[in-house]
Amino acid sequence: MVYDAIIVGARCAGASTGLLLARKGHQVLLVDRSAVPSEIPHGHFIHRGGPQRLHFWGVLAEIEASGCPLVTDVLMSMGGSPLVGKGLHLDGVPFGCGPRRGVLDKILVDTAVAAGAELRDQFVVEEFLSEDGRITGIKGRDLRTGHRFTEYGRIVIGADGRNSRLAQTVQAPVYEEQPVETFYYFSYWSGVPINRLEVHVGPQQIIFAFPTSDGLFGVFVSRPVAEFHRFRGDIEANFMQALAQAPALAAQVRAGHREERFYGTADLPNFFRKPYGPGWALVGDAGHHKDPYMALGIADALRDAELVVEAVHDGLAGVRPMPEALAGYEQQRNEQSRPLYYENLARARFTPPPPEFAQIRAALLKNRDQEDINCFMMVNLGLLPREAFFHPENVGRIMQRANVGMATAVQV
Ligand SMILES: Cc1cc2nc3c(=O)[nH]c(=O)nc-3n(C[C@H](O)[C@H](O)[C@H](O)COP(=O)(O)OP(=O)(O)OC[C@H]3O[C@@H](n4cnc5c(N)ncnc54)[C@H](O)[C@@H]3O)c2cc1C
């Protein structure tokens, strides 16, 4: 039998691609060397349109029903007083959620299977088959039974993560590559009753914390990669010392109980890969990886699943030649990813924001106008265009009000 598509990797990129292709009526084989469900030591806060896509696909309600809270509030601190955005929604959907990957990936896989995809988990792909320079299938092994399988597909899609074996096999060209900037350590605590996303940016450090599945609270610390080895010397002490830069958060975390070990990585490359060639395509981290600073990976993977499926469907159905359709996928992926790729890199280099940014934050803190704060937060979270907040009339109004307020305060 020849599948329409074989997808290697059944997590947020692969399972979503399988789900959308199966819904279009294609015969899909989805394989992963991991068990479904299982965890993967990556972060998992989804925002920037991700929850909206999950809602549109009909899976967000299941994520919520799994016990993972949807998040509408965000605290952002830059060393001083924090700003808190409240009740943030996009298209009527809460702006974020942070399900553990065992939960998110399983819901996506189950939905793909319900749509007709075939799943083989604990199945490792060891080799890609090719004929006349075209990828035609996979050779792999069932890790439970040891049986070897050969399967053929009209297209093989690598959703197999940043160290993609498919990308290595086809020598997918890498471009706009940038050095690794940061490392991350993270873990999970019970007994931390915080129901919002917290982002604490300090000198040479960011703390990212949010509620997740099973009543746990995830805390992530990132620092420049040059410090990785020093930090690893005493992870717990260094982590808690870093956390102390956000004293209120640190106190709540200390009052809770750490339920898991610390996970850490400095394998955080920044690159684009050409995501297609004869008989193959790449989606998710396999095709484009970036530092987790702005937590873009999952939302991008969900978006790119839609884009690659549109192209692959057109190619399989004969609407457009496959190479032309996939060239369109690459172009759209790059156009939509590029601005944030470079903004993310600048932030991951801990480049200080321009002074105007601090001034407007100070004015917002002074005015305490929740509508203005929410608008500022929505822009920062990429939920509204920059112009929605940063236009001269709006900024002028906020600054003027803050100055008037200061004068009044002095007179009183
Ligand atoms: C420390 C850290 C923090 C992060 N924080 C966030 C965050 O808060 N928010 C966010 O959106 N993103 C975050 N990310 C990024 C995010 O985790 C990734 O973008 C996302 O996991 C990409 O999903 P994927 O499906 O492309 O690949 P992966 O999740 O890496 O899945 C790839 C799958 O392919 C399978 N596979 C690989 N090779 C084979 C093979 N040969 N045979 C069979 N199966 C194979 C693997 O078993 C794996 O299950 C973070 C990443 C890290 C490392």
Short mmCIF file of all heavy atoms in Angstrom, two decimals, residues 281-318:
data_model
loop_
_atom_site.label_atom_id
_atom_site.label_comp_id
_atom_site.label_asym_id
_atom_site.label_seq_id
_atom_site.Cartn_x
_atom_site.Cartn_y
_atom_site.Cartn_z
N ALA A 281 8.81 16.88 2.81
CA ALA A 281 8.56 18.22 3.35
C ALA A 281 8.90 18.20 4.83
O ALA A 281 8.99 17.13 5.45
CB ALA A 281 7.09 18.61 3.15
N LEU A 282 9.14 19.37 5.39
CA LEU A 282 9.43 19.50 6.83
C LEU A 282 8.42 20.46 7.44
O LEU A 282 8.05 21.46 6.82
CB LEU A 282 10.84 20.06 7.06
CG LEU A 282 12.02 19.30 6.46
CD1 LEU A 282 13.32 20.10 6.64
CD2 LEU A 282 12.15 17.92 7.12
N VAL A 283 8.03 20.19 8.70
CA VAL A 283 7.12 21.10 9.40
C VAL A 283 7.52 21.17 10.88
O VAL A 283 8.13 20.24 11.41
CB VAL A 283 5.64 20.63 9.21
CG1 VAL A 283 5.37 19.29 9.88
CG2 VAL A 283 4.63 21.69 9.69
N GLY A 284 7.18 22.27 11.54
CA GLY A 284 7.53 22.44 12.95
C GLY A 284 9.02 22.72 13.11
O GLY A 284 9.68 23.25 12.20
N ASP A 285 9.56 22.31 14.27
CA ASP A 285 10.97 22.57 14.57
C ASP A 285 11.91 21.98 13.51
O ASP A 285 13.02 22.48 13.32
CB ASP A 285 11.35 21.94 15.92
CG ASP A 285 10.92 22.81 17.10
OD1 ASP A 285 10.26 23.84 16.87
OD2 ASP A 285 11.25 22.43 18.24
N ALA A 286 11.49 20.94 12.84
CA ALA A 286 12.34 20.31 11.83
C ALA A 286 12.69 21.31 10.72
O ALA A 286 13.78 21.26 10.16
CB ALA A 286 11.63 19.09 11.23
N GLY A 287 11.77 22.23 10.45
CA GLY A 287 11.99 23.18 9.37
C GLY A 287 12.43 24.55 9.82
O GLY A 287 12.99 25.32 9.03
N HIS A 288 12.16 24.88 11.07
CA HIS A 288 12.47 26.23 11.55
C HIS A 288 12.53 26.19 13.07
O HIS A 288 11.53 25.88 13.73
CB HIS A 288 11.36 27.18 11.08
CG HIS A 288 11.42 28.54 11.69
ND1 HIS A 288 12.59 29.27 11.80
CD2 HIS A 288 10.44 29.33 12.21
CE1 HIS A 288 12.32 30.44 12.38
NE2 HIS A 288 11.03 30.49 12.63
N HIS A 289 13.72 26.48 13.61
CA HIS A 289 13.85 26.45 15.08
C HIS A 289 14.36 27.78 15.58
O HIS A 289 15.13 28.46 14.90
CB HIS A 289 14.80 25.33 15.52
CG HIS A 289 14.74 25.09 17.00
ND1 HIS A 289 15.56 25.75 17.90
CD2 HIS A 289 13.91 24.32 17.75
CE1 HIS A 289 15.24 25.36 19.13
NE2 HIS A 289 14.25 24.50 19.07
N LYS A 290 13.90 28.17 16.75
CA LYS A 290 14.36 29.43 17.34
C LYS A 290 14.42 29.29 18.85
O LYS A 290 13.75 28.42 19.43
CB LYS A 290 13.46 30.60 16.97
CG LYS A 290 11.99 30.42 17.27
CD LYS A 290 11.25 30.02 16.04
CE LYS A 290 9.95 29.34 16.35
NZ LYS A 290 9.37 28.70 15.17
N ASP A 291 15.16 30.17 19.46
CA ASP A 291 15.26 30.23 20.91
C ASP A 291 13.85 30.32 21.51
O ASP A 291 13.00 31.02 20.97
CB ASP A 291 16.06 31.49 21.27
CG ASP A 291 16.47 31.48 22.72
OD1 ASP A 291 15.61 31.73 23.60
OD2 ASP A 291 17.65 31.21 22.99
N PRO A 292 13.61 29.64 22.63
CA PRO A 292 12.25 29.68 23.20
C PRO A 292 11.88 31.01 23.89
O PRO A 292 10.80 31.10 24.47
CB PRO A 292 12.26 28.56 24.25
CG PRO A 292 13.45 27.75 23.98
CD PRO A 292 14.45 28.64 23.30
N TYR A 293 12.74 32.02 23.82
CA TYR A 293 12.52 33.26 24.59
C TYR A 293 11.07 33.75 24.53
O TYR A 293 10.43 34.02 25.54
CB TYR A 293 13.46 34.35 24.08
CG TYR A 293 13.53 35.55 24.99
CD1 TYR A 293 14.62 35.75 25.84
CD2 TYR A 293 12.52 36.50 25.02
CE1 TYR A 293 14.69 36.84 26.69
CE2 TYR A 293 12.57 37.59 25.86
CZ TYR A 293 13.66 37.76 26.69
OH TYR A 293 13.71 38.85 27.53
N MET A 294 10.54 33.90 23.30
CA MET A 294 9.18 34.43 23.16
C MET A 294 8.13 33.32 23.08
O MET A 294 6.95 33.60 22.78
CB MET A 294 9.08 35.34 21.93
CG MET A 294 9.81 36.66 22.12
SD MET A 294 9.96 37.61 20.57
CE MET A 294 8.30 38.17 20.32
N ALA A 295 8.54 32.08 23.34
CA ALA A 295 7.60 30.95 23.33
C ALA A 295 6.78 30.90 22.05
O ALA A 295 5.55 30.90 22.07
CB ALA A 295 6.70 31.01 24.57
N LEU A 296 7.49 30.83 20.92
CA LEU A 296 6.82 30.88 19.62
C LEU A 296 6.59 29.49 19.01
O LEU A 296 5.80 29.34 18.07
CB LEU A 296 7.67 31.68 18.62
CG LEU A 296 8.03 33.12 19.00
CD1 LEU A 296 9.06 33.70 18.02
CD2 LEU A 296 6.78 33.99 19.01
N GLY A 297 7.33 28.48 19.51
CA GLY A 297 7.45 27.21 18.78
C GLY A 297 6.13 26.50 18.49
O GLY A 297 5.90 26.05 17.36
N ILE A 298 5.28 26.39 19.49
CA ILE A 298 4.07 25.58 19.29
C ILE A 298 3.07 26.34 18.39
O ILE A 298 2.52 25.75 17.44
CB ILE A 298 3.43 25.18 20.64
CG1 ILE A 298 4.44 24.32 21.42
CG2 ILE A 298 2.12 24.44 20.42
CD1 ILE A 298 4.02 23.97 22.83
N ALA A 299 2.88 27.63 18.67
CA ALA A 299 1.96 28.40 17.81
C ALA A 299 2.44 28.37 16.37
O ALA A 299 1.63 28.22 15.44
CB ALA A 299 1.84 29.84 18.32
N ASP A 300 3.75 28.48 16.16
CA ASP A 300 4.29 28.41 14.79
C ASP A 300 4.04 27.02 14.19
O ASP A 300 3.71 26.89 13.01
CB ASP A 300 5.80 28.67 14.78
CG ASP A 300 6.12 30.17 14.85
OD1 ASP A 300 5.19 30.98 14.97
OD2 ASP A 300 7.33 30.51 14.76
N ALA A 301 4.24 25.99 15.00
CA ALA A 301 4.05 24.62 14.48
C ALA A 301 2.60 24.42 14.04
O ALA A 301 2.33 23.81 12.99
CB ALA A 301 4.43 23.59 15.55
N LEU A 302 1.66 24.94 14.83
CA LEU A 302 0.24 24.78 14.47
C LEU A 302 -0.08 25.55 13.19
O LEU A 302 -0.77 25.07 12.30
CB LEU A 302 -0.67 25.27 15.62
CG LEU A 302 -0.45 24.62 17.00
CD1 LEU A 302 -1.42 25.20 18.02
CD2 LEU A 302 -0.61 23.11 16.94
N ARG A 303 0.48 26.77 13.12
CA ARG A 303 0.26 27.58 11.91
C ARG A 303 0.87 26.89 10.68
O ARG A 303 0.23 26.78 9.64
CB ARG A 303 0.93 28.96 12.11
CG ARG A 303 0.80 29.88 10.90
CD ARG A 303 1.87 30.95 10.92
NE ARG A 303 3.20 30.37 10.72
CZ ARG A 303 4.33 30.93 11.10
NH1 ARG A 303 4.34 32.09 11.72
NH2 ARG A 303 5.50 30.34 10.88
N ASP A 304 2.10 26.39 10.82
CA ASP A 304 2.78 25.78 9.68
C ASP A 304 2.13 24.46 9.28
O ASP A 304 2.19 24.06 8.11
CB ASP A 304 4.28 25.60 9.98
CG ASP A 304 4.98 26.96 10.05
OD1 ASP A 304 4.36 27.96 9.64
OD2 ASP A 304 6.12 27.02 10.54
N ALA A 305 1.50 23.78 10.24
CA ALA A 305 0.74 22.57 9.89
C ALA A 305 -0.36 22.96 8.91
O ALA A 305 -0.56 22.29 7.89
CB ALA A 305 0.16 21.92 11.14
N GLU A 306 -1.05 24.05 9.20
CA GLU A 306 -2.11 24.51 8.26
C GLU A 306 -1.52 24.83 6.90
O GLU A 306 -2.08 24.46 5.86
CB GLU A 306 -2.81 25.76 8.81
CG GLU A 306 -3.93 25.43 9.77
CD GLU A 306 -4.68 26.67 10.24
OE1 GLU A 306 -4.33 27.80 9.85
OE2 GLU A 306 -5.63 26.48 11.02
N LEU A 307 -0.38 25.54 6.90
CA LEU A 307 0.21 25.96 5.63
C LEU A 307 0.70 24.77 4.81
O LEU A 307 0.47 24.69 3.60
CB LEU A 307 1.39 26.93 5.88
CG LEU A 307 1.04 28.29 6.50
CD1 LEU A 307 2.31 29.08 6.79
CD2 LEU A 307 0.12 29.09 5.58
N VAL A 308 1.38 23.81 5.47
CA VAL A 308 1.92 22.68 4.71
C VAL A 308 0.78 21.79 4.20
O VAL A 308 0.85 21.24 3.10
CB VAL A 308 2.98 21.89 5.51
CG1 VAL A 308 2.38 20.95 6.52
CG2 VAL A 308 3.91 21.11 4.58
N VAL A 309 -0.27 21.68 5.00
CA VAL A 309 -1.40 20.83 4.59
C VAL A 309 -2.09 21.42 3.36
O VAL A 309 -2.45 20.70 2.42
CB VAL A 309 -2.39 20.63 5.76
CG1 VAL A 309 -3.73 20.09 5.27
CG2 VAL A 309 -1.78 19.68 6.78
N GLU A 310 -2.24 22.72 3.37
CA GLU A 310 -2.85 23.37 2.20
C GLU A 310 -2.04 23.03 0.94
O GLU A 310 -2.59 22.67 -0.10
CB GLU A 310 -2.83 24.88 2.44
CG GLU A 310 -3.87 25.67 1.69
CD GLU A 310 -3.75 27.13 2.08
OE1 GLU A 310 -3.93 27.44 3.28
OE2 GLU A 310 -3.44 27.92 1.20
N ALA A 311 -0.70 23.14 1.06
CA ALA A 311 0.17 22.88 -0.09
C ALA A 311 0.15 21.40 -0.48
O ALA A 311 -0.01 21.06 -1.66
CB ALA A 311 1.59 23.32 0.23
N VAL A 312 0.31 20.52 0.51
CA VAL A 312 0.37 19.08 0.21
C VAL A 312 -0.96 18.61 -0.38
O VAL A 312 -1.00 17.82 -1.33
CB VAL A 312 0.74 18.29 1.50
CG1 VAL A 312 0.52 16.80 1.31
CG2 VAL A 312 2.20 18.55 1.86
N HIS A 313 -2.05 19.13 0.15
CA HIS A 313 -3.37 18.76 -0.38
C HIS A 313 -3.46 19.16 -1.86
O HIS A 313 -3.87 18.36 -2.70
CB HIS A 313 -4.48 19.42 0.42
CG HIS A 313 -5.82 19.25 -0.22
ND1 HIS A 313 -6.48 18.05 -0.24
CD2 HIS A 313 -6.61 20.13 -0.90
CE1 HIS A 313 -7.62 18.17 -0.91
NE2 HIS A 313 -7.72 19.43 -1.32
N ASP A 314 -3.05 20.37 -2.16
CA ASP A 314 -3.10 20.83 -3.56
C ASP A 314 -2.23 19.95 -4.44
O ASP A 314 -2.63 19.60 -5.56
CB ASP A 314 -2.61 22.29 -3.67
CG ASP A 314 -3.70 23.28 -3.25
OD1 ASP A 314 -4.79 22.82 -2.86
OD2 ASP A 314 -3.45 24.49 -3.33
N GLY A 315 -1.04 19.60 -3.93
CA GLY A 315 -0.13 18.76 -4.71
C GLY A 315 -0.71 17.37 -4.92
O GLY A 315 -0.69 16.83 -6.04
N LEU A 316 -1.25 16.77 -3.85
CA LEU A 316 -1.79 15.40 -3.96
C LEU A 316 -3.03 15.37 -4.85
O LEU A 316 -3.25 14.44 -5.61
CB LEU A 316 -2.15 14.87 -2.56
CG LEU A 316 -0.99 14.55 -1.62
CD1 LEU A 316 -1.52 14.18 -0.23
CD2 LEU A 316 -0.13 13.40 -2.15
N ALA A 317 -3.84 16.43 -4.74
CA ALA A 317 -5.10 16.46 -5.49
C ALA A 317 -4.91 16.96 -6.92
O ALA A 317 -5.87 17.02 -7.69
CB ALA A 317 -6.12 17.35 -4.75
N GLY A 318 -3.68 17.37 -7.25
CA GLY A 318 -3.41 17.83 -8.61
C GLY A 318 -3.90 19.23 -8.90
O GLY A 318 -4.01 19.64 -10.06
#
